[in-house]
């Protein structure tokens, strides 16, 4: 399986580079960047045979079977559609679009082409959340509340590597997307009630720096999500599952019970790396000719919920 990674030298692009390297029978055959000199040096360092600054150039190559898009958010939907129209399977990093119209168009394109199109909803694949999901599917747990904190200190426009960004990140369509999808995935329901509030807009970045989101599904489970780019402290997303049969705290690929006792996740998956596991699912779905977990169609309900949350924010403005 020969994969092109667009945005390969960025923070998440490099995570996908490492993930593909760990998957037997898969290799990165092309990388796409924005600056020719930089992507050339990156390709040479990583031993990748082809590099370019134009995604279209990579899409016509015979040695590219599939594409992983780790590019700026506002390009996700259009580039994913471009890949499908070119006959390439595609995995697009979260979010698959930054508006509901583009999300629906992407799903329609996937259904028309019949190719594999997957969204990078890593939380579905982290062993910590897989452990919870397996318990739910076995009837051993039922979510009563998810309490989630997504915190960063990002008052300047830089990425996870501290590099300047040419685009502004977004708490709702990017970071909340992880939790909205995970809540609906773990409960098996779409939110029937939603509410949202946001703090002041940053004068330079033009985005809200703080946000509060609430959701409820028909069975009664609720989710409380707090997001901030103003948090001066530990960064990342931390999940508290309050269930009918225990409380659990997920921190990326680690899981603890409500008393901070670590839970053994060995045997949950072949790797403890969520990015690698989602890439393994992408490759396996292509090889087996099936719909992947986190297909764009499966993730569309999360986008629909984000759209409703956006409408709440607009009403509150």
């Amino acid at each position: 399986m020969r994969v092109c990674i667009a945005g390969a030298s960025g923070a998440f692009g490099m995570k996908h580079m490492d993930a593909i390297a760990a998957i037997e029978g898969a290799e990165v055959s092309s990388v796409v960047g924005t600056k020719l000199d930089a992507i050339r040096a990156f390709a040479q360092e990583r031993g990748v045979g082809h590099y370019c600054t134009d995604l279209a150039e990579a899409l016509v190559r015979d040695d590219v079977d599939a594409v992983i898009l780790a590019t700026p958010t506002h390009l996700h939907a259009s580039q994913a559609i471009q890949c499908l129209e070119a006959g390439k399977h595609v995995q697009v990093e979260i979010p698959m679009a930054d508006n509901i119209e583009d999300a629906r168009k992407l799903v329609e394109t996937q259904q028309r082409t019949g190719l594999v199109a997957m969204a990078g909803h890593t939380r579905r694949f982290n062993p910590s959340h897989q452990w919870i999901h397996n318990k739910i599917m076995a009837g051993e747990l039922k979510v009563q509340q998810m309490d989630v904190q997504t915190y960063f200190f990002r008052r300047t426009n830089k990425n996870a590597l501290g590099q300047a960004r040419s685009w502004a990140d977004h708490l709702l369509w990017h970071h909340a997307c992880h939790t909205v999808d995970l809540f609906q995935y773990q409960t098996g329901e779409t939110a029937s009630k939603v509410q949202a509030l946001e703090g002041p807009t940053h004068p330079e970045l033009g985005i809200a720096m703080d946000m509060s989101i609430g959701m409820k599904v028909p069975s009664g489970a609720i989710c409380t999500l707090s997001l901030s780019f103003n948090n001066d402290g530990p960064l990342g997303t931390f999940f508290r599952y309050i269930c009918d049969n225990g409380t659990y705290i997920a921190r990326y690929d680690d899981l603890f019970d409500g008393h901070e006792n670590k839970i053994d996740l060995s045997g949950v998956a072949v790797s403890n790396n969520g990015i690698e596991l989602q890439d393994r699912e992408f490759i396996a779905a292509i090889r087996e000719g099936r719909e992947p977990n986190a297909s764009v169609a499966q993730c569309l309900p999360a986008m629909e919920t984000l759209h409703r949350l956006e409408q709440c924010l607009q009403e509150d403005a």
Side-chain angles (χ1 to χ4, degrees):
M1 190 65 59
R2 299 160 298 180
V3 180
C4 167
I5 299 181
S9 60
F12 259 77
M14 286 194 281
K15 291 179 183 291
H16 285 290
M17 291 286 298
D18 294 338
I20 295 298
I23 301 174
E24 184 179 354
E27 65 173 318
V28 177
S29 57
S30 176
V31 289
V32 182
T34 56
K35 298 179 180 178
L36 185 60
D37 290 344
I39 198 63
R40 179 193 295 117
F42 181 81
Q44 291 172 346
E45 177 186 344
R46 293 294 188 117
V48 179
H50 177 259
Y51 58 87
C52 63
T53 58
D54 185 358
L55 177 60
E57 179 181 327
L59 294 180
V60 299
R61 294 182 62 87
D62 292 335
D63 62 352
V64 170
D65 302 309
V67 180
I68 294 176
L69 297 172
T71 52
T73 294
H74 65 281
L75 299 175
H76 285 180
S78 61
Q79 288 184 334
I81 291 170
Q82 182 184 4
C83 292
L84 292 171
E85 296 287 11
K88 308 296 184 182
H89 305 286
V90 65
Q91 179 187 173
V92 56
E93 260 306 330
I94 193 171
M96 64 183 186
D98 60 4
N99 62 80
I100 191 59
E101 292 80 11
D102 286 348
R104 291 168 180 162
K105 185 178 179 181
L106 173 55
V107 172
E108 290 168 0
T109 305
Q110 184 281 319
Q111 292 174 340
R112 174 169 49 81
T113 62
L115 295 165
V116 171
M118 177 177 167
H121 286 252
T122 313
R123 299 295 168 262
R124 292 188 179 209
F125 299 95
N126 291 119
S128 52
H129 299 295
Q130 279 202 52
W131 189 93
I132 295 287
H133 191 72
N134 292 343
K135 293 286 187 182
I136 292 171
M137 291 296 99
E140 299 173 19
L141 284 181
K142 183 178 181 180
V143 175
Q144 294 173 319
Q145 179 179 183
M146 284 176 61
D147 187 83
V148 187
Q149 298 174 328
T150 295
Y151 291 157
F152 299 93
F153 190 64
R154 196 171 285 172
R155 293 177 179 173
T156 56
N157 203 17
K158 295 181 179 180
N159 66 12
L161 298 177
Q163 301 166 338
R165 270 190 171 134
S166 61
W167 54 284
D169 204 356
H170 201 282
L171 286 176
L172 179 66
W173 284 98
H174 178 191
H175 295 286
C177 187
H178 284 287
T179 298
V180 169
D181 178 72
L182 183 65
F183 176 58
Q184 296 185 162
Y185 178 64
Q186 298 290 46
T187 59
E189 301 177 85
T190 299
S192 53
K193 295 182 180 180
V194 300
Q195 60 187 26
L197 298 170
E198 64 183 4
T201 299
H202 191 281
E204 297 175 8
L205 299 178
I207 57 174
M209 300 291 282
D210 295 276
M211 193 171 292
S212 173
I213 288 172
M215 295 176 285
K216 182 177 182 178
V217 293
S219 66
I222 63 173
C223 177
T224 303
L225 170 61
S226 171
L227 307 104
S228 181
F229 283 149
N230 278 319
N231 179 67
D232 189 4
L235 60 86
T237 302
F238 313 101
F239 301 81
R240 179 180 291 269
Y241 287 92
I242 301 174
C243 303
D244 61 343
N245 189 24
T247 293
Y248 301 92
I249 303 165
R251 302 185 179 102
Y252 291 94
D253 294 312
D254 293 320
L255 185 66
F256 304 83
D257 67 17
H259 299 282
E260 292 289 346
N261 298 304
K262 192 169 185 178
I263 293 174
D264 182 10
L265 299 177
S266 60
V268 173
V270 297
S271 169
N272 198 45
N273 182 321
I275 300 291
E276 178 187 330
L277 293 173
Q278 80 181 47
D279 286 355
R280 285 183 177 276
E281 172 67 1
F282 179 51
I283 299 299
I286 296 170
R287 287 174 173 162
E288 297 165 15
R290 61 171 174 82
E291 180 182 11
N293 184 7
S295 69
V296 293
Q298 290 178 12
C299 296
L300 184 60
M303 309 304 289
E304 299 282 2
T305 299
L306 288 170
H307 176 60
R308 292 165 57 209
L309 288 164
E310 184 175 62
Q311 290 176 316
C312 290
L313 295 176
Q314 291 170 347
E315 292 170 0
D316 183 58

